[in-house]
Amino acid sequence: MSWDCGLRYMFSVSPALQHGSILDKEDLSKLDIVQRLAKDGYRFLQNPGKGLERTSEPQNDEAVRVCLRERGHDVLVLHRVSSHQPALPASARGGGREEARRSRRYIVVSGTPEKILEHLLSDLTLDEEQGTAHCKGSDTLLDDFLLTYPVFMSTSDLCQALLGHYCTKGHRGKEDGKDALERKQKVLHLVSQWVSLCRNFLRDDEQVKVFMKTLYRYMLDDLYAHPALEMYLRELQKLYQLHRRQVQEEYSPQRKSRALFHQLSLKEMAGLQSRDTQRETKEVLCHVYITLDSYLSLRVHPGLLAQELLQTVADRMDVSAADLVLVAITYPGGRLLLQPQDRVFSQSSRLVGRLHVCRRDLGEALSPFTDNTELQQRTAHLLTLNTWDVAVALSNVDWNIFVSVHEQELVYFTFSRQTSSSQTASLEQLLQRCDEIQLWVMTEVLLCATLCKRVQLIKKFIKIAAHCKAQRNLHGFFAIIMGLNTAAVSRLTHTWEKVPGKFKKLFSELETITDPSFNHKAYRESFKKMKAPKIPFIPLLLKDITFIHEGNKTFHDNLVNFEKLHMIADTARLIRQCQNDQMGNGVTQKSSAEARSYIDHLHIIDNQQTLFELSNRLEPRC
């Protein structure tokens, strides 16, 4: 809704205000929307119980709320808070305002998507010296909006809204050149931040490609009147590989038809440089079942071919690849015999189905390739490895997955709004890794038939868990402790009795950190003391976000509950904080080639019944 529509806007004060407290025009002077109304002579509602005289400031600053109404309905609710941030330079403030006014700011409580975006743009402040924009005070409105906008508006709607704000000739009446430039710069700053933060979710979106090229064309048209836009133009050229001559030719006067415009395509975003580009080149986890209830977990590249995977498994199992076939069990139970040149992963880095390796003559029956007797002979290999090297190899795998997780994946995962499986692929892979490590610990212990070796394995895992904690890998640390605490392992009374006292004490100390009492207080305190970069326990982070989601409504009276989205975005930002490596002390370290090879090919039994049977076989019930 444009500002020149002639409708009256009503501002009201929250009933929570104490008696005698009002919201005067001076309190609202920071709001751009109020300033525009004041210029046209609109009056502000006073407390009906008081006259027009000035009164003292409200005692409870947190109680002041501003409601913007259109046609009798609230469209934006703001909350006034005190800001203790240092004052901005005069060039950023745009004039010599009083310090008292600069110490106040307004945060979004709820509103329609359009009004939230409008307030966000008005809240941005330009730094005239550097030509950049930033939010007033310490407000995180911009980041909150960009992380959570898929909850309440589509990407297409956002693109249209941004183009509308960029191209509008004036919100109300005439607009001078300085105001027009400021408006365009704010929109371009938001677009720049959006692309930087969410580029992996935008990379293959055709609507975004069309939007960016449209915006680029508008910037070329505005460049003569507003040379300050050159900085943003160069940034778009760098990010999207756009070229001025190419776009000018495509938009010549003879080729301006709307139909032709929508056929224009962007080059692939090959020039993007960020931490998120690792999604395209990183290794992924692949499970290949070698029995009906156990599999090898392999680290492979996304472009893996069936013959390459088959050869890797054959080498691991010390058999000839010519005797094996690779079969994919697809939904709902179909069987697909993969040919040598077939790709194992789809474009979304998802497996074509559950993979089984079988003998060629038994491929149709999907008979198991081997049995547990052969597999038991391989479990003792861990005893020969250095525990620190194993922990480093584990942490390196976890870190490579974790750095590719984007904060917005937690939002998509929580609200189940993903339009393609790739939007939460890294997050799901990290969750899968947690389950995998837990099952690996159980598998190694329960496949060890000798009591003394089993005790040595438990000692090894306790030391590996301690090393993971020292390496700031709380994700792997939790998984190992949970694996040792499962019923199938913890019930091995005779085995645990043989574990030396100092290892039992160490295990007890580590176990305390995983104690869920008081909302995982021990873990949270320990994690808070660790310096970044570090790997958090992702399931607990998802639990916190789910608790916020289920305990608060997403909409109140058809308005987006932005307070809820701020809490979710604030929790999701922990991912970014943990990935930050400003000091160069990353989690990734060097480990022995033998340890890396072992961790890259973990043997795992994922059948709980089979694991309990193995446990009862080791120590039968009395």
Side-chain angles (χ1 to χ4, degrees):
M1 181 176 220
S2 62
W3 282 97
D4 57 346
C5 62
L7 296 176
R8 289 182 179 271
Y9 293 80
M10 181 180 296
F11 292 83
S12 60
V13 182
S14 170
L17 282 174
Q18 298 177 358
H19 182 70
S21 298
I22 68 172
L23 187 65
D24 57 29
K25 185 171 74 173
E26 186 173 357
D27 291 323
L28 294 174
S29 61
K30 290 184 66 178
L31 295 172
D32 187 59
I33 52 179
V34 178
Q35 290 174 336
R36 288 172 179 158
L37 287 177
K39 289 179 182 178
D40 282 1
Y42 282 90
R43 293 187 301 174
F44 296 88
L45 296 180
Q46 298 288 338
N47 190 319
K50 293 287 180 180
L52 297 178
E53 71 276 4
R54 292 287 303 274
T55 63
S56 60
E57 290 290 329
Q59 296 297 320
N60 184 9
D61 197 41
E62 297 296 322
V64 178
R65 288 196 175 189
V66 181
C67 298
L68 174 64
R69 311 194 78 192
E70 288 181 1
R71 298 181 181 180
H73 299 284
D74 291 342
V75 294
L76 184 66
V77 180
L78 304 176
H79 187 184
R80 190 179 77 182
V81 296
S82 296
S83 175
H84 302 289
Q85 298 297 319
L88 297 174
S91 59
R93 297 196 301 268
R97 298 179 181 176
E98 294 88 345
E99 185 67 25
R101 293 186 184 183
R102 282 189 275 107
S103 65
R104 299 269 174 76
R105 62 188 179 90
Y106 292 82
I107 61 177
V108 176
V109 175
S110 60
T112 63
E114 296 79 11
K115 289 302 177 184
I116 293 175
L117 177 59
E118 185 176 323
H119 172 71
L120 169 58
L121 290 172
S122 68
D123 199 50
L124 289 174
T125 303
L126 292 176
D127 188 334
E128 296 179 358
E129 295 179 355
Q130 299 181 4
T132 58
H134 49 79
C135 282
K136 297 178 181 179
S138 59
D139 198 0
T140 58
L141 174 61
L142 176 59
D143 205 48
D144 292 345
F145 181 89
L146 295 178
L147 283 177
T148 62
Y149 80 87
V151 174
F152 53 85
M153 68 189 307
S154 65
T155 300
S156 176
D157 291 339
L158 179 58
C159 291
Q160 292 299 322
L162 290 173
L163 283 177
H165 282 285
Y166 183 88
C167 299
T168 301
K169 298 304 180 183
H171 289 289
R172 290 161 43 79
K174 294 184 178 180
E175 184 181 39
D176 60 32
K178 183 177 180 181
D179 290 340
L181 174 61
E182 181 178 331
R183 169 172 49 81
K184 295 176 185 295
Q185 286 177 316
K186 289 181 178 181
V187 173
L188 293 175
H189 174 74
L190 191 151
V191 171
S192 175
Q193 295 299 310
W194 181 33
V195 173
S196 298
L197 181 64
C198 307
R199 61 184 52 173
N200 277 313
F201 300 102
L202 309 176
R203 181 169 299 156
D204 299 321
D205 194 322
E206 292 298 327
Q207 294 174 330
V208 175
K209 294 179 181 180
V210 172
F211 161 73
M212 294 305 299
K213 200 157 195 177
T214 306
L215 184 63
Y216 187 82
R217 170 57 183 167
Y218 288 157
M219 293 172 65
L220 287 179
D221 293 340
D222 294 335
L223 198 56
Y224 179 79
H226 305 294
L229 297 180
E230 179 71 27
M231 177 186 68
Y232 294 99
L233 194 72
R234 291 197 303 267
E235 185 174 359
L236 281 184
Q237 289 174 337
K238 178 180 179 181
L239 290 176
Y240 282 83
Q241 301 297 295
L242 293 169
H243 299 285
R244 192 173 306 188
R245 180 179 299 176
Q246 172 195 8
V247 177
Q248 287 175 337
E249 292 175 353
E250 291 173 343
Y251 286 88
S252 61
Q254 295 78 17
R255 304 181 64 184
K256 283 188 177 180
S257 67
R258 185 178 182 85
L260 178 61
F261 161 72
H262 282 289
Q263 294 176 4
L264 296 174
S265 61
L266 287 174
K267 292 184 177 182
E268 292 299 323
M269 301 180 192
L272 296 179
Q273 299 292 330
S274 79
R275 62 190 173 100
D276 299 321
T277 55
Q278 297 183 42
R279 287 175 181 264
E280 301 300 322
T281 58
K282 70 180 182 66
E283 294 181 325
V284 296
L285 297 176
C286 178
H287 294 169
V288 183
Y289 281 79
I290 54 179
T291 72
L292 293 180
D293 58 7
S294 63
Y295 61 82
L296 283 178
S297 176
L298 310 174
R299 293 181 65 200
V300 297
H301 60 89
L304 184 71
L305 300 180
Q307 63 179 7
E308 296 175 330
L309 180 59
L310 206 57
Q311 186 62 55
T312 300
V313 175
D315 293 342
R316 192 65 182 171
M317 303 304 297
D318 297 328
V319 297
S320 173
D323 298 332
L324 306 178
V325 292
L326 190 62
V327 180
I329 308 299
T330 59
Y331 181 83
R335 299 173 182 177
L336 174 64
L337 181 63
L338 297 183
Q339 300 303 317
Q341 298 302 315
D342 289 342
R343 287 188 175 273
V344 176
F345 292 90
S346 63
Q347 293 181 352
S348 61
S349 295
R350 293 299 182 93
L351 288 168
V352 295
R354 175 166 162 165
L355 299 176
H356 286 255
V357 168
C358 311
R359 295 190 185 277
R360 183 172 295 277
D361 55 344
L362 300 175
E364 290 298 325
L366 289 181
S367 298
F369 164 72
T370 185
D371 56 37
N372 287 331
T373 303
E374 296 179 26
L375 295 173
Q376 289 175 16
Q377 299 175 1
R378 305 179 186 277
T379 60
H381 183 52
L382 177 60
L383 296 175
T384 64
L385 301 177
N386 180 273
T387 54
W388 179 264
D389 286 341
V390 173
V392 168
L394 277 172
S395 297
N396 288 347
V397 175
D398 292 346
W399 179 254
N400 289 335
I401 302 174
F402 176 65
V403 292
S404 65
V405 175
H406 191 278
E407 305 100 297
Q408 206 170 39
E409 290 191 49
L410 280 73
V411 177
Y412 278 98
F413 189 89
T414 303
F415 286 87
S416 300
R417 293 178 58 91
Q418 52 264 47
T419 56
S420 67
S421 58
S422 62
Q423 289 180 316
T424 57
S426 295
L427 178 60
E428 292 178 13
Q429 189 176 7
L430 194 57
L431 293 173
Q432 181 188 68
R433 183 66 175 176
C434 181
D435 294 336
E436 186 174 280
I437 295 176
Q438 182 177 344
L439 289 172
W440 163 63
V441 172
M442 300 173 65
T443 300
E444 289 287 351
V445 173
L446 297 176
L447 283 180
C448 186
T450 308
L451 177 61
C452 62
K453 290 184 177 181
R454 202 158 56 244
V455 171
Q456 294 179 38
L457 277 175
I458 290 179
K459 290 165 54 180
K460 284 268 186 181
F461 280 121
I462 293 174
K463 292 177 67 176
I464 293 172
H467 293 328
C468 284
K469 178 178 177 293
Q471 295 165 14
R472 306 186 302 281
N473 177 12
L474 274 300
H475 191 263
F477 161 76
F478 252 84
I480 295 174
I481 298 299
M482 289 190 301
L484 292 174
N485 269 329
T486 55
V489 176
S490 61
R491 66 170 297 275
L492 301 176
T493 307
H494 299 301
T495 304
W496 283 97
E497 287 178 350
K498 299 293 183 180
V499 176
K502 67 175 183 178
F503 283 94
K504 289 182 181 179
K505 181 180 179 181
L506 176 59
F507 180 70
S508 178
E509 294 173 354
L510 299 176
E511 195 178 22
T512 301
I513 300 177
T514 65
D515 184 4
S517 301
F518 303 103
N519 193 20
H520 291 272
K521 179 181 178 181
Y523 161 76
R524 296 181 192 277
E525 291 179 350
S526 178
F527 185 74
K528 189 180 299 184
K529 296 176 182 178
M530 292 184 179
K531 296 181 180 180
K534 52 188 176 181
I535 308 177
F537 182 49
I538 297 298
L540 182 57
L541 189 59
L542 286 174
K543 175 186 173 182
D544 292 342
I545 295 180
T546 302
F547 180 82
I548 297 173
H549 174 46
E550 295 181 350
N552 301 273
K553 293 182 179 180
T554 305
F555 296 91
H556 282 314
D557 298 327
N558 297 323
L559 298 181
V560 178
N561 181 8
F562 208 78
E563 286 184 310
K564 167 184 175 176
L565 299 184
H566 167 70
M567 289 189 292
I568 289 178
D570 200 41
T571 306
R573 267 188 291 270
L574 181 63
I575 294 287
R576 187 188 311 169
Q577 297 166 7
C578 292
Q579 291 172 341
N580 189 24
D581 185 13
Q582 295 180 343
M583 304 301 294
N585 54 346
V587 172
T588 304
Q589 303 178 54
K590 290 185 178 181
S591 63
S592 68
E594 190 177 10
R596 290 196 303 270
S597 176
Y598 174 81
I599 294 301
D600 287 348
H601 304 84
L602 294 180
H603 168 238
I604 293 163
I605 297 176
D606 67 344
N607 188 307
Q608 292 294 332
Q609 182 178 354
T610 301
L611 291 170
F612 264 100
E613 290 177 356
L614 290 172
S615 179
N616 289 324
R617 188 184 306 171
L618 294 175
E619 295 188 18
R621 296 178 181 176
C622 299

